[in-house]
Amino acid sequence: MTITLALRASLLHFTDDPAIHESAIHWHSDGLLLLNQDKIAAAGDYEALKHLVPEHLSVQHFPGEIIMPGFIDTHIHYPQTDMIASPAPGLLPWLEQYTFPTERQFQDPAHANEVAGFFLDELLRCGTTTAMVYCTVHPQSVEAFFTQSERRNLRMVAGKVMMDRHCPEFLQDTAESSARDSEALIQKWHQRGRQLYAITPRFAPTSTPQQLHLAGELAKQYPDTFIQTHVAENKDECAWARALFPTARSYLDIYDQVGLMRPRAMYAHCIWLDDMDRRRMAETQSAVALCPTSNLFLGSGLFDFDKAEAAKVPLSIATDVGGGTSFSMLQTMNETYKVARMGGRYMPASSMFYTATLGAARAMQLENTIGSLKVGNEADFILVDPQATPLLARRNRHVNSLEEQLFVLAMLGDDRCIAATYAAGKLVHQQ
Ligand code: GUN
Ligand code: ZN
């Protein structure tokens, strides 16, 4: 075994859902992470693994810091970076007033490149190493995004928004052009290096039945691509979708009928689903991207954890920037916890860290690639400083368990806690 990098710190990762098996939490207070180029070669106790470090290689030591897998954000819009924190009374006016005019600018490749570069660096600053990303309706916005991602060698999933009605003309494609452009982008970018493609109909109200049908055909033709869209976010949106597709059993069923529910399909929000919808999510292994900062900010509603869990729906958490108010998955955990509390539920910190790493990788069917420190996985990980601020340092003097330490980090932590980010074994951010 060739070892090219050795890092000593505390280690945290998961091998399963800790809510089901407590032994799935892997914690090494004095740990060692060994890499072979861009892959994980070993992860465990320092004492047990130190003999594997070659003589010529010095071990980098970060006492007090925690190495964990990079966070995975399963739903975010890169073109909305410049309009984060735009106030509006709910989703539909917010789309009209801010989102569509902002997305118009991405017809300019230079603008798209500049924003994509900033966006990716901001994700890395926050410790996010993989995201499922919406571009705009313009193919050049996807080119720009993948070009910037490839330059940083990041494992990213992204796609061209498909939108052929109920939006300003300057953002409209057609059913045929959207399918043609999406297919060309799949052929160019899907599985090129670390880039992965997501078929991206924005949401049912902005697609004709023909466009959704063609998206479903692409999903069948390219079964290892991803699918991403929005569903059941807001009551007005739900009523609109139902009125536009009167023969569908439910809003989710609009997508189901055209073959857009399958493994690697990521459905953002899922607040106003019914029991039959949840059953279909589980049966088809389609996943939820729960976006708490966005749902609270836009007043969309509270996700029902109990019903999702009872139906065994694959779950992940996401920022949904620009509807979401933070790029930080730690801040997203904070609001996930509060949304769960509002539903009468208690969500342990270990569950939130699992959901933001291995849980998301599983929801995306990428658990043998990212999401943990498993041997052979890609070396995407972060160094977390749990004492990054005076308040965190002070609060940490009084923690009595790993769960409490992680809980404090999820409630009080943000980008300031991310001391360093590594992608494919390379340092891509350092505070
Ligand atoms: N539904 C359709 N488009 C969007 C979007 O850009 N953001 C959110 N939060 N919901 C949507
Ligand atoms: Zn969204």
Side-chain angles (χ1 to χ4, degrees):
M1 178 168 44
T2 317
I3 304 298
T4 54
L5 194 67
L7 304 179
R8 180 180 179 184
S10 297
L11 298 188
L12 172 74
H13 74 128
F14 301 89
T15 48
D16 201 349
D17 184 347
I20 298 169
H21 306 285
E22 214 186 320
S23 62
I25 308 176
H26 289 249
W27 171 255
H28 305 273
S29 60
D30 184 13
L32 185 64
L33 178 69
L34 301 177
L35 306 190
N36 178 3
Q37 305 295 347
D38 57 341
K39 300 280 169 24
I40 309 281
D45 284 331
Y46 175 75
E47 285 300 329
L49 296 180
K50 65 181 182 189
H51 70 279
L52 296 173
V53 180
E55 238 165 71
H56 66 269
L57 192 69
S58 62
V59 176
Q60 298 178 35
H61 193 191
F62 303 95
E65 298 191 357
I66 306 170
I67 291 173
M68 59 179 83
F71 296 130
I72 301 173
D73 181 345
T74 58
H75 181 93
I76 186 165
H77 302 255
Y78 100 80
Q80 295 175 14
T81 301
D82 287 350
M83 51 154 290
I84 188 172
S86 290
L91 171 68
L92 300 177
W94 176 85
L95 283 173
E96 285 290 331
Q97 282 173 40
Y98 300 102
T99 314
F100 292 152
T102 303
E103 293 193 5
R104 180 182 199 169
Q105 300 172 65
F106 288 74
Q107 68 193 63
D108 173 9
H111 178 74
N113 263 289
E114 194 276 327
V115 177
F118 177 90
F119 169 89
L120 288 167
D121 290 339
E122 188 63 17
L123 285 183
L124 298 174
R125 255 177 25 77
C126 290
T128 298
T129 47
T130 291
M132 291 189 65
V133 180
Y134 287 57
C135 302
T136 64
V137 76
H138 315 97
Q140 56 271 39
S141 74
V142 185
E143 286 291 329
F145 180 80
F146 280 134
T147 300
Q148 293 293 332
S149 174
E150 188 170 69
R151 196 170 288 172
R152 292 163 179 78
N153 199 19
L154 307 178
R155 177 61 81 184
M156 288 284 159
V157 183
K160 183 200 110 70
V161 164
M162 306 168 78
M163 180 155 66
D164 67 346
R165 66 168 167 173
H166 299 142
C167 63
E169 214 166 293
F170 57 75
L171 280 182
Q172 255 175 54
D173 53 19
T174 68
E176 289 70 26
S177 77
S178 71
R180 204 169 50 237
D181 289 344
S182 297
E183 184 165 25
L185 289 163
I186 290 169
Q187 288 176 351
K188 177 162 180 192
W189 288 105
H190 184 59
Q191 307 279 20
R192 167 165 151 176
R194 305 187 79 202
Q195 311 314 311
L196 297 166
Y197 195 82
I199 298 160
T200 309
R202 181 176 210 117
F203 65 154
T206 50
S207 286
T208 57
Q210 175 64 1
Q211 183 167 60
L212 293 177
H213 166 76
L214 292 178
E217 291 289 303
L218 278 178
K220 206 175 308 154
Q221 198 181 338
Y222 298 94
D224 70 343
T225 56
F226 292 77
I227 297 165
Q228 56 185 356
T229 191
H230 299 86
V231 72
E233 174 177 7
N234 162 291
K235 282 188 168 166
D236 295 337
E237 168 222 14
C238 291
W240 191 22
R242 298 299 303 275
L244 290 168
F245 296 87
T247 60
R249 194 202 63 81
S250 67
Y251 184 174
L252 185 68
D253 188 50
I254 300 167
Y255 301 121
D256 202 3
Q257 284 187 1
V258 294
L260 287 170
M261 297 189 71
R262 62 151 168 74
R264 295 199 160 177
M266 186 60 70
Y267 283 88
H269 309 301
C270 297
I271 294 169
W272 307 103
L273 297 185
D274 62 23
D275 287 341
M276 176 74 136
D277 291 331
R278 292 186 190 90
R279 205 168 83 212
R280 285 300 292 154
M281 293 290 293
E283 280 170 1
T284 59
Q285 285 297 290
S286 301
V288 174
L290 160 65
C291 308
T293 74
S294 168
N295 297 161
L296 296 175
F297 177 69
L298 291 171
S300 302
L302 300 173
F303 181 77
D304 192 325
F305 286 84
D306 286 341
K307 287 187 171 159
E309 183 181 87
K312 297 193 163 63
V313 178
L315 180 68
S316 63
I317 60 177
T319 63
D320 192 27
V321 165
T325 50
S326 173
F327 277 80
S328 168
M329 289 301 285
L330 293 171
Q331 281 301 291
T332 303
M333 290 181 205
N334 171 316
E335 300 216 334
T336 299
Y337 177 81
K338 292 170 185 170
V339 169
R341 281 306 304 133
M342 287 303 290
R345 205 181 158 87
Y346 174 78
M347 191 158 184
S350 58
S351 286
M352 295 193 286
F353 279 86
Y354 163 77
T355 307
T357 55
L358 181 62
R362 283 178 164 181
M364 297 166 69
Q365 317 250 315
L366 284 177
E367 68 271 26
N368 294 320
T369 307
I370 55 169
S372 72
L373 305 177
K374 185 166 80 167
V375 172
N377 269 15
E378 295 175 347
D380 286 356
F381 60 93
I382 54 180
L383 262 168
V384 175
D385 177 3
Q387 337 244 24
T389 69
L391 179 62
L392 273 163
R394 192 177 175 91
R395 178 64 183 84
N396 261 291
R397 283 190 238 140
H398 308 285
V399 302
N400 292 309
S401 64
L402 173 61
E403 171 60 25
E404 191 178 349
Q405 182 176 19
L406 294 178
F407 187 77
V408 166
L409 192 56
M411 292 306 113
L412 302 180
D414 54 29
D415 53 312
R416 294 170 294 180
C417 297
I418 311 303
T421 304
Y422 287 75
K426 291 257 161 54
L427 182 67
V428 286
H429 160 69
Q430 189 165 34
Q431 263 209 358

